[in-house]
Structure formats: structure tokens, C-alpha cells
Amino acid sequence: MKELIEQLLSTAVSSLQQQGVIASDVTPRIQVDRTRDPTHGDFATNLAMLLAKGAGKPPRDMAALLIAALPPHAAVAKVEIAGPGFINLFAASDFQSQQLEAMLADGERAGVTPVSQPQTIVVDYSAPNVAKEMAVHHIRSTVIGDAVTRTLEFLGHKVIRANHIGDWGTQFGMLIAYLEKMENEHASDLQLADLEAFYREAKKHYDDDAAFAERARAYVVKLQGGDDYCLTMWRKLVAVTMEQNQRIYDRLSVSLSNADIMGESLYNPLLPQVVADLKAQGLAVEDDGAQVVFLDEFKGKDGEARGVIVQKRDGGYLYTTSDIACAKYRVETLGAERVLYFIDSRQAEHLQQAWTIARKAGYVPASVSLEHHAFGMMLGKDGRPFKTRSGGTVKLADLLGEAVERAGSLIRSKNPEISDSELATIAEAVGIGAVKYADLSKNRTTDYIFDWDNMITFEGNTAPYMQYAYTRVASLLARHAGAIDMAAPFAIEHEREQELVTQLLAFNDAVQSVAAKGMPHLMCAYLYELAGRFSSFYEACPILSAEATVKASRLKLALLTARVLKRGLGLLGIHTLEKM
Ligand code: ARG
């Protein structure tokens, strides 16, 4: 509805521009807000006040002109000038009913129409590193990226998931040499259960044992030369790591699979050509034996253009080189029109440098948007990076186990009678949901404090609260399944009822804004508000004792609420339960 009004206003502005009332080069920021006070209509805009000065007209006159130029629409019942020059718009109630009916008829999609021009969108997310345990920061990228991916796909875009795993680099010589040593000693299948320890031990041998280090260095060279033995060992390391990670993805209900792996190694064969291109275009120049691109866009402290190394003196390539090739590949080979990178905010400069170079080289046209959807760090309650009590990295698998355990005790305390098997199912959904939702519900750009007490609770904007809100509506509906007279018209009378309706009809806008901004917390905030409005409605508006037509209308609202909650939480990757 907001979107529609913005469109109508923008049409009004264009026709006033044609009439010469408003200068043709003015592009005002059209902002439409929902009003709090129903006597002011349903929506309001300050557009007339923004335009008045430039047009040399009193704001109220400007408002009158805009209103006169506004194309008539069935959705808008009445338009008024208010105060110094606000425009208040009243939504037609029969239009709202029509929209509600359309939403109801739309079933599980809950009125969200697929976009008319689907794009090919690459989403770069999760991206753990081989032979390392997934660290806490990877959960942020994984969970946030997955929610945005689901949303884009739901809107009908062609989404390509790109799991840019760290599967290439000089460390693989050392890892292969250690894997070999382990296999020789145990003569059994490799035991990589503890990847963290594996990596640590490999590094220790590399640092302490000269013969080992030499072997490691030889293996790097062989691996890069495509040696069979080294490639086989390398593949084992990748496979074991990703098997472990896949178990985590599955437990988290993250929609990534092996098919989505597009790691750094994929771009390795493209790197010589990239550097050759950069040299040929005069972008890369030799500096102390290395190939360097100097970028005016990135000045050092001395005001000099800063150099970005794309090839080291020894011929080796860098993380930046591979991200340049990667951007090229996504545009040229995958046909991306938009690429979303869900990466730690500390990598902002790295990405900007790689993209600036990729654009200068002509690999990425201006029409393709490359977007860094950054997020802050995950901090402990003490405000310091999230660590175990002994200061080690927190393993994601352990964290999830603890979440489910804690959720189990919370639910058991509310419902001591519950059977063990029922408890297990609910605890899994609530515990995993709580960890994901805690991350999703905060504005991702800031650091985020991981605190069990704020996430595994039925109070506030948490997964348990939202899941319970859904279950409550679902069980109300289950009690009346079949008894809803779908043909009865909507009868929206009570103020709480109207507030619920406005929120239900804003679902489409919420989905669109998550897709546009890559910010799932907007969906969480929307759903939380919806759940709150539903419970105010439920308290103020009796359903069962109401007369037949009102009862039917209210049950239809409950049905829509249930569908929107389920769909919205589904887009976030959070499971709902019919019983809790
Ligand atoms: N593997 C990297 C890390 O763990 C993240 C990779 C992100 N994607 C990219 N295209 N650079 O920090």
C-alpha cells in the first residue's frame, strides 16, 4: 500500500513537472509514513513541504496542487491537507478488504507477488576455511546470507549460492604433509574430527621440524602444478571439512549443499590471465619485483595512491587477486546482475580494492551491483570477542548443542508433563531457532553481543516468543478448522482489528525491503510487531462469542496472521511448530 501511494505521488510530481509548476530537474525523496492517529488517515507525506520552497509556493498550496494531480485510485478513499502542508491519505476500507481477500486466496505465498523482472543474483555467504572448524563469525554470514537468499528466491529471482570456501593457498603444503604423516602413522582412515587440533599440530610441525617444512614447501609447488598425489590429498582435506560443515548446515536448516561450493581454488586457473590483463591495460605495474595496482581511490597516510599487490615477487597470487577473478567469473560466467557478499566488516577495504580493480579492468560493468553486506563481530557478554571460558574459539557445533539443551530445560520448566520425544523435537526447533534469530533480529552492521539469557526466553523479540506466537494462532485455528466461513466478508470495526489489518497488508513491503537491503532484521521487526498486534487484537476482540459474520471475519484474520508468521519465519529459516 505504501509502495502504491509512493507511485501515485511520483506520478503527480511528474505531471506537475510537465506543467512547469515544479522544475524538471528536481527529484524529491518521496516519503510516505503510516499515521499513528487514525483521524489523520492511514498514510501521510511531507512531500508538499519539501517541494514548496523550490516552486515558490506556500506549502498548503503546493499540497493542493499535488492532490489535484494525484491519479484517482480505488485504494484511496480520501485525501486531505493537514497542518502546515501535510497530505493525509485515507485507505478505502473496501479496498483493504479486497486486498485481504486476495491475500487469503493466495494461500501460502500470503500475497507476496513474484517480481516482474527476475534477476540473476549471486549470494556469497558462509565461506568457512578448509581444515579449520567453523568459527563463530561464520555463523553470522551463514545465517544472515541464507535468510536473504531465501527471500530473493521467494520473490522469483534466480539465486546462485556461492560458498567461497578458503580452499587454496600456501598453507595446503603444510596440511598435506601433516595428513600424510598421520596416514602413515595410523595407517587408518583419517581422523580429522578435531580440525582445529589438526591445523594446530600441522603448524607446530611446520615451525619446529625443518625436514617437514621443506616437504611442505615442495608440496605447495606440486599442488599448484597439478600433481595427482597432492591433489588427492587436498581433495580429502576439503571433503572432510565440508562433510563436517554440511552437518552444521543441516542442523541449522541452512540451504547450502556441496553443489554450492565455489571456493578460492576455482579461480586459481584464472589468475595468470587476470594479471596479464591488468599489465596489458597499464593498471598493474612492477614494483620491487611484484605486480602492483596503484589506486587513487585509496590513499595512504602520506596522500600517495596506495598500492594493491596482485602478484608477489615469487609469482604467488593473493586473496585480492582471487576476488578480482571471482567478480569477473560471477559476471561473465554466471551472468550475475547483482552480487551480494555477506562478509565481516573488517574485509570492507579488501573488497572495495578488488572491485575497483575489477571495474577498471572492464570485468564488471556499471550495471552490475556489487554489494558488501557487512556485519560486525560477535562479542561475549563482556564486550570482548566471543571466546570459551579458557579463551579458545567457540566451536559452532558445541554452541548449537548447548542451545538445544538450554531450550530443553526452558520448555521442561513450562511444561513438566511433556514426553521426552516431544521435548526433543521442540527443543531442537527452539534452541536452533533462538541462536539464529538472535543474530538475524539485530541490525547486522553493528557488533553483536551473544547472550544466552536474551535469546532462550519467551520475553521480547526472540525465536521462542515468535514460535510460541505462531503456535497460539495455529492452535486457535486447529480448534476451528473447517468452521471458518470463508465466504463471509471481512468486517473490520475495532481499532485493534484495523491495526492488525494494516500490519498484515504490509507483509509484501517487508519482504521487498529485506530483498533490497539484505537486512533480515527488518523482517524480524515486522513479525514481532505483527505478533504484538495480533495479541492485542485477540484480547480486545472476542472471536468465539462474536456473532457469526464477525466471528468469520476474525477467524480469517487469524488465518492470515498464521500464514504470514509461518511464511515470514520460513524466509528467515526458522521452523514453526503446530504444537509447543
Ligand atoms: N573465507 C573467508 C573468511 O573466512 C571469507 C570469504 C568471503 N568471500 C569472498 N569472496 N572473499 O574470512
Side-chain angles (χ1 to χ4, degrees):
M1 183 77 187
K2 231 162 106 169
E3 234 176 290
L4 170 73
I5 293 173
E6 282 166 8
Q7 272 163 23
L8 296 175
L9 286 167
S10 125
T11 311
V13 170
S14 311
S15 52
L16 290 179
Q17 285 177 322
Q18 266 157 30
Q19 295 167 31
V21 179
I22 303 171
S24 56
D25 59 345
V26 180
T27 43
R29 212 170 76 85
I30 300 179
Q31 196 178 324
V32 174
D33 293 307
R34 277 201 248 156
T35 53
R36 279 273 148 209
D37 176 352
T39 62
H40 294 157
D42 301 290
F43 297 95
T45 179
N46 64 352
L47 183 62
M49 285 134 94
L50 282 183
L51 292 168
K53 205 162 175 211
K57 296 214 181 310
R60 286 185 65 98
D61 291 2
M62 191 70 239
L65 285 166
L66 277 169
I67 292 173
L70 206 64
H73 195 286
V76 183
K78 192 167 67 161
V79 189
E80 279 178 1
I81 305 176
F86 285 107
I87 298 175
N88 290 341
L89 300 105
F90 294 74
S93 63
D94 54 343
F95 182 75
Q96 282 196 337
S97 308
Q98 280 167 34
Q99 282 195 303
L100 290 171
E101 289 297 354
M103 202 167 163
L104 209 51
D106 192 39
E108 313 275 284
R109 284 196 68 92
V112 178
T113 39
V115 289
S116 51
Q117 290 182 320
Q119 287 184 302
T120 298
I121 304 177
V122 173
V123 187
D124 181 321
Y125 69 107
S126 192
N129 298 316
V130 168
K132 290 213 173 160
E133 204 88 40
M134 246 163 107
V136 278
H137 83 266
H138 289 115
I139 195 190
R140 302 214 70 192
S141 174
T142 304
V143 164
I144 299 172
D146 202 52
V148 175
T149 297
R150 287 168 188 267
T151 305
L152 292 168
E153 227 160 36
F154 181 58
L155 284 172
H157 294 292
K158 178 183 171 201
V159 182
I160 300 173
R161 293 162 172 77
N163 194 354
H164 193 97
I165 63 171
D167 62 354
W168 204 249
T170 46
Q171 73 276 25
F172 281 93
M174 159 188 112
L175 295 169
I176 291 170
Y178 189 64
L179 177 58
E180 176 184 71
K181 183 174 152 63
M182 276 184 69
E183 285 189 340
N184 287 343
E185 282 166 16
H186 302 298
S188 70
D189 231 8
L190 71 154
Q191 295 269 311
L192 274 179
D194 192 345
L195 286 170
E196 220 44 58
F198 178 87
Y199 199 98
R200 218 175 27 243
E201 285 303 309
K203 178 91 176 64
K204 211 154 98 200
H205 279 77
Y206 186 80
D207 291 339
D208 301 346
D209 176 346
F212 180 92
E214 194 167 324
R215 207 160 45 245
R217 278 191 291 272
Y219 282 161
V220 182
V221 179
K222 284 178 117 180
L223 178 67
Q224 289 181 336
D227 172 79
D228 271 345
Y229 172 74
C230 285
L231 278 174
T232 306
M233 296 294 269
W234 169 75
R235 278 194 204 103
K236 262 191 214 175
L237 290 164
V238 176
V240 173
T241 308
M242 292 316 288
E243 251 163 55
Q244 280 195 18
N245 290 338
Q246 190 60 46
R247 277 202 287 278
I248 294 182
Y249 293 152
D250 292 345
R251 191 164 195 197
L252 280 171
S253 296
V254 159
S255 64
L256 285 167
S257 75
N258 271 341
D260 306 313
I261 296 177
M262 286 186 233
E264 287 178 44
S265 64
L266 176 66
Y267 309 105
N268 187 54
L270 312 175
L271 304 182
Q273 188 58 49
V274 164
V275 173
D277 287 349
L278 296 176
K279 280 201 315 209
Q281 297 187 53
L283 287 166
V285 294
E286 193 175 318
D287 189 53
D288 199 15
Q291 292 299 327
V292 183
V293 180
F294 288 94
L295 294 173
D296 286 332
E297 291 84 348
F298 300 88
K299 293 221 161 59
K301 285 196 194 82
D302 51 3
E304 295 279 300
R306 212 132 47 112
V308 180
I309 303 180
V310 291
Q311 188 172 23
K312 290 189 287 187
R313 214 185 353 194
D314 65 6
Y317 300 100
L318 293 106
Y319 187 43
T320 311
T321 330
S322 106
D323 261 313
I324 297 169
C326 165
K328 176 182 195 282
Y329 179 86
R330 287 173 179 173
V331 173
E332 290 175 9
T333 308
L334 301 179
E337 297 169 81
R338 185 178 174 204
V339 192
L340 281 67
Y341 293 73
F342 287 89
I343 312 182
D344 205 307
S345 55
R346 287 170 296 181
Q347 294 192 30
E349 192 178 71
H350 156 74
L351 286 174
Q352 294 307 329
Q353 290 177 338
W355 297 346
T356 304
I357 297 172
R359 288 202 192 271
K360 286 192 174 187
Y363 294 153
V364 182
S367 60
V368 175
S369 86
L370 302 175
E371 304 164 19
H372 181 194
H373 294 283
F375 45 82
M377 285 202 289
M378 189 146 140
L379 305 175
K381 255 171 135 169
D382 56 2
R384 309 246 295 267
F386 191 60
K387 291 268 154 86
T388 58
R389 225 164 275 186
S390 58
T393 36
V394 178
K395 292 184 182 176
L396 198 43
D398 297 344
L399 188 91
L400 298 182
E402 183 168 353
V404 171
E405 225 167 85
R406 285 174 181 261
S409 344
L410 176 70
I411 288 152
R412 169 83 73 202
S413 75
K414 301 254 171 204
N415 184 359
E417 306 300 301
I418 195 166
S419 77
D420 286 349
S421 72
E422 227 181 327
L423 181 74
T425 315
I426 300 174
E428 185 74 20
V430 172
I432 302 292
V435 171
K436 292 178 79 172
Y437 196 88
D439 206 334
L440 291 167
S441 58
K442 312 216 169 54
N443 184 334
R444 61 170 161 69
T445 53
T446 47
D447 288 345
Y448 139 63
I449 295 181
F450 188 94
D451 181 359
W452 289 117
D453 299 333
N454 291 338
M455 64 179 86
I456 309 226
T457 163
F458 286 101
E459 313 292 318
N461 190 8
T462 62
Y465 171 82
M466 292 306 307
Q467 288 169 317
Y468 184 63
Y470 171 77
T471 307
R472 247 180 31 146
V473 194
S475 68
L476 164 76
L477 289 166
R479 274 179 273 134
H480 300 282
I484 308 180
D485 177 5
M486 299 293 258
F490 279 103
I492 312 303
E493 281 146 17
H494 198 282
E495 221 179 288
R496 298 285 99 77
E497 215 161 19
Q498 182 55 54
E499 284 162 2
L500 175 62
V501 167
T502 319
Q503 187 68 5
L504 282 168
L505 294 178
F507 182 50
N508 188 43
D509 290 343
V511 175
Q512 304 287 349
S513 61
V514 174
K517 298 182 187 147
M519 293 193 147
H521 77 279
L522 299 171
M523 178 58 73
C524 298
Y526 166 83
L527 293 172
Y528 183 55
E529 179 71 28
L530 177 65
R533 289 193 190 194
F534 182 82
S535 61
S536 307
F537 153 80
Y538 194 58
E539 254 167 56
C541 306
I543 298 185
L544 305 182
S545 58
E547 55 108 354
T549 51
V550 176
K551 177 174 169 182
S553 168
R554 289 181 178 167
L555 282 171
K556 279 162 68 174
L557 288 180
L559 181 56
L560 279 175
T561 305
R563 284 189 188 159
V564 170
L565 286 174
K566 186 176 179 130
R567 172 58 73 186
L569 289 169
L571 292 176
L572 293 168
I574 306 283
H575 290 295
T576 45
L577 300 155
E578 301 306 307
K579 262 174 68 186
M580 233 170 118

